[in-house]
Amino acid sequence: MVYAISILALVLIFTIATKVPINMGILAFAGAFLVGGWVSGIPIDDIVDAFPGDIFLIVAGITLLFAIAKANGTINIIVESALRLVHGRRWALVWMMFLLSGALMALGSPMAAGMLAPIAMRLAGKKNINPLLMGMAINHGALGCAFSPITIYGAFVNGLIKSAGYEANPLLLFIVPFALNALFFTVLFVIYGRDLLHELPDGTDETTGSGASSPASLHPSPGGAPESGTRAATAVLPETDVIGHTPFNRERVATLLGILLLAVGSVAFNVDVGVSSICISTVLLLMAPQKMPRIEDKVAWPAVLLVCGMLTYMTVLKQNGTLDFLGDAAAHLGSPLAAALILLYAVAIISAVGSSIGTLGIALPLAAPMLAAGELGVLGFIIALAFASTVVDVSPFATNGSIVVAEAEVEDRQRFQRSVLAYCGLVVFLAPLVAWALIVVPTSL
C-alpha cells in the first residue's frame, strides 16, 4: 500500500504542476512530508536531513552569479566580443550563436537561449538567415551544454545518480548530450544553411538578396528600405543597433575573472561549485553594493524549489522502499532494451509539453528498476534519458522554443510557430531512437 501511494503521489505531483501554475518543487516537498512522515512513518528529522543542501548552494549560487553578470553588463561584453570575431559572415554567425549559447549555459546561465534570442533573431532578419536555423542554433547550443556540472540540470541529474547509489560521471553526462545536439544541428544546417557558405556578393542587399534555403514563409520581413551595398555580408560587422559596444570597467573585469576562476576551480581542482559561486558573488556585490539593489530577487528561486523538492521526494522513495519495489517488478519485464526505448519516447513526448527537470525527476526513479536488473548500462541509460528529456525543449511550448517564436522577425508568426512545432515533432520522433541506438544499446551489450 505504501508503494502504491508513493507512486500515485509522484504522478499527481507532475500532473498537478503541469495543469496549474504551482511549482512542482512545492508539491514535492509536501509529498515528501506526507508520504514520508504520515504514510511511511519516516521521522520528520530524517526527511529534513534529506534536503539537498549542496544542490541548493549550486543552483542558487550559479543563478545569482549570472544575475550579477547580466546586471553589470558582463554578459553583453561576452556576446559582443564573440559576435565581432565572425566579421559578419552569415554561416559563422549561426555557428557562433550555437557555441555562444552553449558556453553561457555550460558556465551556469540557465537562460542562455533567452538572453541571446533577441540579438540572434534580429541578426537573422537583417542578414537573411533562415530564422528556424538561427533559433535552433541557440536552442541546440544551450540544450547541448545543459548538463555541465555547474548547471541546474547537471547538478540535478548528478544528485539523483548519487542518491540512487550509483557512481556519477559528470564529464560523460556533459559531453554526450552536447555531441548529439551538435549532430542534430549539423543536419539542420546542411538542410537550411548550405547557401550561407556562399556569401552575398559585394553590392547585394542583405535583406533582399539570395538568402536562406527555407520556404518563403520562414523568410524574415524586409522591415525597411533597401540598404547600401557597402553592408554586404562579406565586408562588414553586424549592425551597431543589434550589437553594441559595452566598455570594460572594474566590476566587469572582476566578474569575468570570477566566472573563469569558478570554471577552472570546479573542473581542475574539484572546488565546490556552490560555495565558490556564493563567495564570488559576495565579492562582486561588495564592489558595487548600490548598483544592484535586490539582485537576490533575480536568483532562479523557482528552479531552486523544483530541484530541491524533487530530490527530497526521491530520497523519501528510497527510504520507504518504493525504489526497491520497482526494482523487483522490473525483474519480470520481458525485454529491458524494449522497455528502455518505450521510456525514452515517453520522456520525450511528456517533456515537449511540460517541465524537463520535472520529467527527469519522475523518469529517473522509474528507470531505477531497469537499472537494478543489471541488464542495462546504468550511466548510458541515464544519459540517454537526460538527452531525450531536454533536446525536445526546442518545442514552441517550452521556454526556449517559445522565446525563439516570440523574437523571430517573420511575416507570419503563426506559420513560423507551426514550422518550429513540426521540427519539434521530428526531434521527438528521432531523439529517443538515436539515444537508444547510440548510447543505450552499446552500453548494455
Side-chain angles (χ1 to χ4, degrees):
M1 187 65 175
V2 170
Y3 307 145
I5 294 175
S6 300
I7 296 169
L8 178 61
L10 181 62
V11 174
L12 284 176
I13 288 170
F14 182 82
T15 303
I16 293 173
T18 55
K19 296 295 183 180
V20 297
I22 299 178
N23 189 291
M24 191 180 298
I26 296 175
L27 297 172
F29 275 125
F33 287 112
L34 291 175
V35 174
W38 182 38
V39 177
S40 307
I42 300 173
I44 296 298
D45 288 345
D46 290 350
I47 300 175
V48 172
D49 289 341
F51 180 84
D54 55 339
I55 303 301
F56 171 85
L57 285 177
I58 290 175
V59 179
I62 287 296
T63 55
L64 174 61
L65 178 58
F66 271 84
I68 294 170
K70 184 178 181 182
N72 68 17
T74 304
I75 296 297
N76 292 341
I77 289 179
I78 295 173
V79 174
E80 293 162 6
S81 300
L83 293 181
R84 285 194 174 88
L85 291 175
V86 304
H87 299 292
R89 298 182 183 89
R90 296 186 302 154
W91 69 268
L93 277 174
V94 172
W95 281 102
M96 179 58 76
M97 281 297 180
F98 174 86
L99 295 174
L100 186 56
S101 182
L104 290 176
M105 176 65 91
L107 290 173
S109 175
M111 286 299 294
M115 288 190 293
L116 291 178
I119 297 174
M121 301 314 290
R122 193 169 183 186
L123 280 173
K126 289 183 175 293
K127 293 289 184 179
N128 198 29
I129 298 171
N130 186 319
L132 177 65
L133 181 66
M134 182 64 90
M136 294 309 107
I138 58 175
N139 275 350
H140 279 300
L143 297 171
C145 294
F147 294 98
S148 160
I150 59 175
T151 65
I152 295 173
Y153 291 98
F156 180 65
V157 174
N158 283 313
L160 278 178
I161 294 173
K162 292 178 182 177
S163 67
Y166 298 109
E167 184 176 352
N169 189 325
L171 184 59
L172 274 180
L173 179 62
F174 172 57
I175 290 177
V176 175
F178 174 78
L180 292 179
N181 272 277
L183 174 63
F184 270 71
F185 183 67
T186 299
V187 173
L188 191 65
F189 184 86
V190 170
I191 296 172
Y192 288 120
R194 286 175 299 174
D195 67 299
L196 301 181
L197 298 173
H198 308 288
E199 296 294 344
L200 298 175
D202 289 338
T204 300
D205 184 272
E206 292 179 35
T207 309
T208 58
S210 61
S213 59
S214 62
S217 63
L218 297 183
H219 283 196
S221 170
E227 298 167 318
S228 168
T230 59
R231 294 182 51 229
T234 53
V236 300
L237 294 173
E239 291 75 2
T240 56
D241 62 336
V242 178
I243 303 176
H245 181 71
T246 305
F248 284 93
N249 59 23
R250 187 185 65 160
E251 291 83 8
R252 291 164 187 159
V253 171
T255 305
L256 286 171
L257 289 175
I259 294 173
L260 180 63
L261 286 174
L262 177 66
V264 173
S266 62
V267 174
F269 302 102
N270 201 29
V271 176
D272 187 277
V273 174
V275 173
S276 299
S277 57
I278 291 290
C279 292
I280 292 170
S281 297
T282 302
V283 172
L284 295 175
L285 289 174
L286 289 173
M287 291 180 65
Q290 304 301 324
K291 292 183 179 180
M292 289 175 284
R294 301 194 62 80
I295 192 66
E296 66 274 8
D297 291 345
K298 302 297 183 182
V299 173
W301 295 118
V304 173
L305 273 174
L306 174 60
V307 171
C308 293
M310 290 301 296
L311 284 175
T312 302
Y313 189 77
M314 291 307 111
T315 303
V316 167
L317 293 189
K318 182 180 180 182
Q319 290 178 355
N320 71 7
T322 300
L323 295 185
D324 292 334
F325 166 76
L326 292 173
D328 294 336
H332 299 89
L333 293 176
S335 172
L337 282 176
L341 181 59
I342 292 172
L343 185 56
L344 286 172
Y345 269 107
V347 162
I349 294 169
I350 294 172
S351 186
V353 295
S355 164
S356 297
I357 287 185
T359 304
L360 269 174
I362 293 177
L364 289 176
L366 292 179
M370 291 181 278
L371 298 177
E375 297 186 44
L376 293 174
V378 173
L379 189 60
F381 189 32
I382 291 175
I383 291 175
L385 283 172
F387 167 71
S389 67
T390 52
V391 69
V392 296
D393 279 356
V394 297
S395 164
F397 303 116
T399 301
N400 286 356
S402 63
I403 291 175
V404 165
V405 172
E407 296 292 342
E409 294 190 355
V410 291
E411 294 178 350
D412 190 337
R413 195 171 303 279
Q414 289 187 343
R415 196 168 183 180
F416 177 64
Q417 183 177 17
R418 289 195 295 270
S419 298
V420 175
L421 183 59
Y423 176 69
C424 174
L426 188 62
V427 171
V428 169
F429 173 73
L430 291 176
L433 186 60
V434 170
W436 182 79
L438 297 183
I439 308 174
V440 178
V441 173
T443 58
S444 301
L445 296 178

